[in-house]
Amino acid sequence: MEITAGGLLEVRITPADVGKRVSVRRVEGGSSGAPAFTDTVGVLTSWDAGVLLITQKNGKSVRIAESSLVAGKIVPPAPARRRGPAASFEELSRVAARSWQPLESEALGEWTLRAAAGFTRRANSVLPLGDPGMPLDDALARVTSWYAERGLPAYVQAATGAVGTQELLIAELERRGWAAEVSAEVRTGALAPVGDVDAPAAGAVRLTRTPDEAWLGRYGRVSDPEVARRLLVEGPSVWFAALPGARAIGRCVVDGRWAGFAAVTVDPAHRRQGLATAVMAALARRALAEGASAAWLQVETDNPQALALYDGLGFATHHTYHHYRAAP
């Protein structure tokens, strides 16, 4: 917080700072009558009618009455992580998009509309990396009509928590009644430690270029196997991993220096046996052989078991993305 020479806290932000990362302190009445102070850090996404809206890195928005402010300042972007590969938000977003390609896409300015008959939100949502080339209301009207023509709900995938993410767009979506349905962390890490992990079952993992019926059955999110296969095999260099009996499966897309892990799933009867680690180790060794050195993955924020697994393998959060659905 800013402290003046006289030792007093000072508000050093104004409505002109919308779009910048800020740190603010507000005062509220405590339960015992004593004032209570609360600090908030995030992107200032609006300042209207005496109310500030700050979007935190996890995508949560906090409304703060201007009258409650006791201190505030602009802060620099969060420092770069000291471990794992360096990457910009846009680079990771484009790598992820190449690894999970839709069956159909269309440009809307610098946005990309994606559809895949409803198989996964990632392949059936707008990727808004830039300017749609028209006013936002017109762009969202085009988005909703495009998905309606395909019998699909309209989703926009927008991110928070890194330099260049889309807090301002999220604030505009929320203002128009769009609601976040699913949030996921994008994590990155070094690839070699994953390949080097001690996982005895990794030697039994079978790697293939296409998923078989057992793999799709274990994945368990498939209503149309033909559509799922068409989407899953697309990417620069795609590998599918499975242990005998599909006790555990996974998918990896090798794209230059990046290896992207997805669909790591274990039979509930065989959990806590290191099988997910074995699948990832086998895929990592294949990716290392193809020249990759960095790894990324996406994990939903409400999946504590997966979060713990990836913590143990050295993955750290780069940013968080959210799927916003159009208001009914």
Side-chain angles (χ1 to χ4, degrees), residues 159-250:
T160 56
V163 175
T165 47
Q166 300 148 320
E167 286 85 355
L168 289 175
L169 173 60
I170 284 174
E172 293 297 333
L173 291 173
E174 291 179 342
R175 191 172 291 120
R176 290 161 174 79
W178 291 58
E181 286 194 350
V182 175
S183 295
E185 295 179 5
V186 177
R187 292 190 167 203
T188 60
L191 184 61
V194 183
D196 289 342
V197 73
D198 182 15
V205 174
R206 178 172 175 260
L207 299 180
T208 61
R209 287 293 197 178
T210 57
D212 59 17
E213 294 296 332
W215 194 101
L216 292 173
R218 178 60 57 212
Y219 185 51
R221 305 177 185 181
V222 177
S223 58
D224 186 330
E226 181 180 350
V227 168
R229 281 196 183 89
R230 287 176 60 193
L231 186 149
L232 288 165
V233 300
E234 291 296 326
S237 178
V238 185
W239 291 96
F240 298 88
L243 281 162
R247 289 176 294 152
I249 63 165

Side-chain angles (χ1 to χ4, degrees), residues 44-128:
L44 179 62
T45 47
S46 71
W47 189 330
D48 297 314
V51 177
L52 291 75
L53 184 68
I54 295 177
T55 302
Q56 299 171 299
K57 66 179 182 179
N58 62 2
K60 302 295 184 182
S61 295
V62 179
R63 294 183 179 276
I64 299 172
E66 180 181 349
S67 59
S68 72
L69 289 180
V70 295
K73 66 177 180 178
I74 298 169
V75 295
R81 293 182 302 104
R82 296 180 182 274
R83 62 190 176 99
S88 69
F89 161 68
E90 183 172 346
E91 178 188 0
L92 272 178
S93 296
R94 295 195 185 282
V95 168
R98 289 195 295 270
S99 78
W100 209 267
Q101 298 180 18
L103 302 179
E104 178 184 6
S105 65
E106 181 177 313
L108 182 65
E110 295 175 309
W111 290 13
T112 304
L113 283 60
R114 306 174 293 181
F119 179 62
T120 79
R121 286 183 181 85
R122 284 171 287 187
N124 293 273
S125 60
V126 179
L127 186 64

Side-chain angles (χ1 to χ4, degrees), residues 187 264 266 276-277 280 303-315:
R187 292 190 167 203
V264 178
V266 179
T277 300
M280 291 187 66
N303 189 340
Q305 292 82 9
L307 292 168
L309 168 67
Y310 302 138
D311 283 343
L313 291 173
F315 286 87

